[in-house]
Amino acid sequence: KYPSQRVISAFTKVQILKKGGETVYFGSVGKDGEDIRAYFEAIPGTPLCPPNKGIAKFAVDVIGNGVTSSKTIKDYAFEYRVSEIALQNHIHLQHIRRSKGQIGPQLHWKGFGATYESMAFEVILRLQRQYWRNVNYSWGRMIFFTILSLLLGSVYFKINYHTTAGMNGRASSIFISCVLVGITNAQNVIPQIMRIRDVYIRERAVNQYSVPLYNIAW
């Protein structure tokens, strides 16, 4: 199974290995994997990446590691060793080795790797996609709230708001609506949360997202 285009784009650099552990690419990803695609297509004899093919599947098939790909006729490990990007990586690694820790201020990992705006966008977008794909859950809530609104609307229809009894009735309808909607949402959302509990534990362990963002997204 290949990582999706969205997952690949979340990385700044990737290292691609062929069978045997030899490096065939180590560099930046680019937008939608553009740097990876451009690198392999620049090698003579490499087929172009089809528009509807993921960059991960394209790269793996090209180097001969794919499920359906045939044996490649080119040695992409050799092509990488003699490439400009390999020379740049070698120079950078040698600079780090010989610097003896004096290449800059000591880095301290603190907080999250992304801004709160980026984390909020990713978490909320993922939950909205989950709602969209969970048809039974979404339609069930819509049908229930429609029935509830019609029921309460018919009970408190044409209430006279100019009297004390009328205002009490209006306040009661608002209170009952909030209570029923809150209880129903709480009961229905628990099974949905348990479905992605393992994902949350994994992301929380690596400090990937802020905890309040999960609450806001739900």
Side-chain angles (χ1 to χ4, degrees):
K1 187 177 181 179
Y2 306 99
S4 65
Q5 196 86 353
R6 182 167 173 264
V7 172
I8 289 292
S9 300
F11 292 89
T12 55
K13 286 189 175 184
V14 295
Q15 182 179 18
I16 303 177
L17 307 177
K18 62 179 288 187
K19 292 181 179 178
E22 293 183 277
T23 300
V24 297
Y25 180 79
F26 180 39
S28 60
V29 176
K31 183 179 180 181
D32 296 329
E34 181 65 24
D35 293 351
I36 302 175
R37 183 192 63 79
Y39 169 80
F40 282 106
E41 290 183 351
I43 299 176
T46 301
L48 300 179
C49 179
N52 60 344
K53 193 171 187 179
I55 191 63
K57 189 175 189 307
F58 165 72
V60 172
D61 288 345
V62 161
I63 65 177
N65 287 3
V67 178
T68 60
S69 60
S70 58
K71 185 177 181 181
T72 178
I73 60 175
K74 298 187 69 64
D75 187 358
Y76 285 95
F78 172 78
E79 296 290 342
Y80 170 75
R81 289 195 297 269
V82 299
S83 65
E84 181 69 21
I85 189 174
L87 178 60
Q88 295 175 1
N89 291 334
H90 176 74
I91 295 175
H92 181 64
L93 291 175
Q94 291 300 317
H95 176 63
I96 294 176
R97 288 182 59 189
R98 299 178 186 277
S99 64
K100 297 181 180 180
Q102 303 300 322
I103 60 175
Q106 186 176 1
L107 299 178
H108 296 277
W109 180 261
K110 182 179 180 181
F112 300 98
T115 61
Y116 270 87
E117 291 78 8
S118 301
M119 291 189 296
F121 176 80
E122 292 295 334
V123 174
I124 294 175
L125 179 62
R126 183 176 63 182
L127 265 298
Q128 296 306 313
R129 285 175 174 169
Q130 182 175 343
Y131 284 141
W132 177 259
R133 293 168 182 169
N134 196 343
V135 180
N136 294 332
Y137 175 67
S138 299
W139 273 105
R141 290 203 309 165
M142 292 174 60
I143 294 174
F144 173 78
F145 293 146
T146 301
I147 296 175
L148 179 63
S149 61
L150 293 175
L151 178 62
L152 294 178
S154 62
V155 172
Y156 297 97
F157 185 61
K158 290 185 178 181
I159 296 179
N160 184 6
Y161 300 132
H162 301 288
T163 63
T164 302
M167 290 301 299
N168 289 335
R170 185 177 187 181
S172 300
S173 65
I174 297 175
F175 174 77
I176 294 174
S177 300
C178 293
V179 170
L180 291 179
V181 170
I183 293 177
T184 304
N185 280 335
Q187 290 178 341
N188 292 338
V189 80
I190 290 176
Q192 313 305 321
I193 294 177
M194 295 304 297
R195 291 176 57 184
I196 64 169
R197 184 172 180 269
D198 294 338
V199 177
Y200 165 76
I201 294 175
R202 180 185 63 196
E203 295 176 349
R204 187 72 186 96
V206 298
N207 206 30
Q208 185 169 351
Y209 296 121
S210 176
V211 175
L213 294 178
Y214 288 95
N215 302 330
I216 297 173
W218 279 107

